[in-house]
Every structure is written in C-alpha cells, then in structure tokens.
Amino acid sequence: MATKKKLDVSEDFSIPTLSDESTDLGDIRINHSVVAGIVRLATKSVQGVVSVGGGGVVEGITDFFSKKESERGVKVSESQPAGGYEIEVRVVLEFGVDLAKTGFAIQESIRDQILAMTGNPASKIDVIIDDIKMDVSEEKDELSDYYVDEQSAG
C-alpha cells in the first residue's frame, strides 16, 4: 500500500504583492494601460454609464489614433511621493440619471477594483461628465413613433 507524503509548506512562502516584501523576488510592475483597462471596465459596470471616453471631437480623434481602446477616455499617472494612482475618466451618462450620484458610484467602483486587482490604492479619481445621451432603445422608440405618425398623416 502506497503512503502519501504530506506537502510541507514553509511559513516563509508568500505570494508576491506590491509591498516591500516582494523586493527579494524582484519587481512587480503594472503597465498603466492595464490600469486604464480596469478603470474602463469598472466604469462601464456602473448603471447609467453609456460610454467611456466621450470627450470633444478633437480629443476623440486624437485618442482614437494615438491610444489603445483600453486607454481611451482614461488617464492614469502615479502620485508622488505618497504612491497610488491618479485617475481621470471621461464619461457619457444616460439622460435622466442623477449625475452626482452616478459620478460618485463610478469613483467607488474604480477605487474598489483598482485596490482589489493591483493592491495599490487610487489616491485621486476625477470623473468628467462630457455628455448625456438617451438610452438607444428609447431613441429607436421615438424614431419609430415619428415615422408611424408621418405615415399615418400621409
């Protein structure tokens, strides 16, 4: 009969994190485009957000040609000397939502996801509301009502 050896895990073994303890193994660096991707996904998960990166025409064209999709509408930098990320996200919100509450919900979502996924806090999160739009399904309903009225009148 075969005997099983119990795996002995020493107390010195630990998972590398972004803290000072990981320096023995080397550096862990997270590219800002990865953080920007987290910011975009966290922002899109908030109810009332239509899109991320809905800035002006010139900025939109510049972003389109100069940045990856995950970075559009998002700026990430590291705050010095305290550490953490400084984030700016530009959004388009749904018509009728409470803009301040939705902006705060976006900040909380970003803060929580950045900390959970990187282990590094967000020291500043600026939400810039560039525009508001009606829900696409509501726009279609209004257009179909318009065309029905036009056809019945003719």
Side-chain angles (χ1 to χ4, degrees):
M1 186 169 184
T3 61
K4 293 183 181 181
K5 283 189 177 181
K6 196 172 186 180
L7 184 61
D8 183 27
V9 180
S10 70
E11 291 178 25
D12 292 338
F13 178 81
S14 64
I15 298 172
T17 62
L18 292 172
S19 65
D20 290 335
E21 292 130 44
S22 66
T23 57
D24 292 342
L25 299 174
D27 293 332
I28 297 174
R29 295 186 183 143
I30 301 170
N31 193 317
H32 284 185
S33 65
V34 173
V35 177
I38 295 168
V39 170
R40 282 181 65 82
L41 293 172
T43 301
K44 285 182 173 184
S45 73
V46 174
Q47 187 172 356
V49 174
V50 174
S51 67
V52 178
V57 175
V58 173
E59 182 176 312
I61 292 171
T62 305
D63 275 0
F64 183 78
F65 287 110
S66 66
K67 295 182 178 180
K68 296 180 196 176
E69 183 178 345
S70 64
E71 295 175 327
R72 290 186 196 139
V74 179
K75 291 181 185 171
V76 178
S77 60
E78 292 184 48
S79 60
Q80 299 296 334
Y85 297 108
E86 290 184 1
I87 296 165
E88 177 184 293
V89 61
R90 303 182 84 85
V91 296
V92 176
L93 299 181
E94 193 176 301
F95 177 77
V97 299
D98 183 324
L99 301 178
K101 284 182 182 177
T102 305
F104 183 66
I106 291 168
Q107 287 176 319
E108 287 182 319
S109 179
I110 291 170
R111 177 199 63 204
D112 295 346
Q113 286 300 317
I114 292 294
L115 186 58
M117 294 183 73
T118 68
N120 210 7
S123 60
K124 181 179 177 184
I125 303 169
D126 292 331
V127 177
I128 299 166
I129 301 168
D130 279 334
D131 201 0
I132 55 169
K133 292 194 177 180
M134 290 185 77
D135 186 17
V136 176
S137 61
E138 289 177 20
E139 285 181 14
K140 287 180 182 175
D141 289 344
E142 284 185 6
L143 287 175
S144 64
D145 289 345
Y146 172 76
Y147 287 117
V148 169
D149 290 343
E150 286 282 315
Q151 290 173 354
S152 62

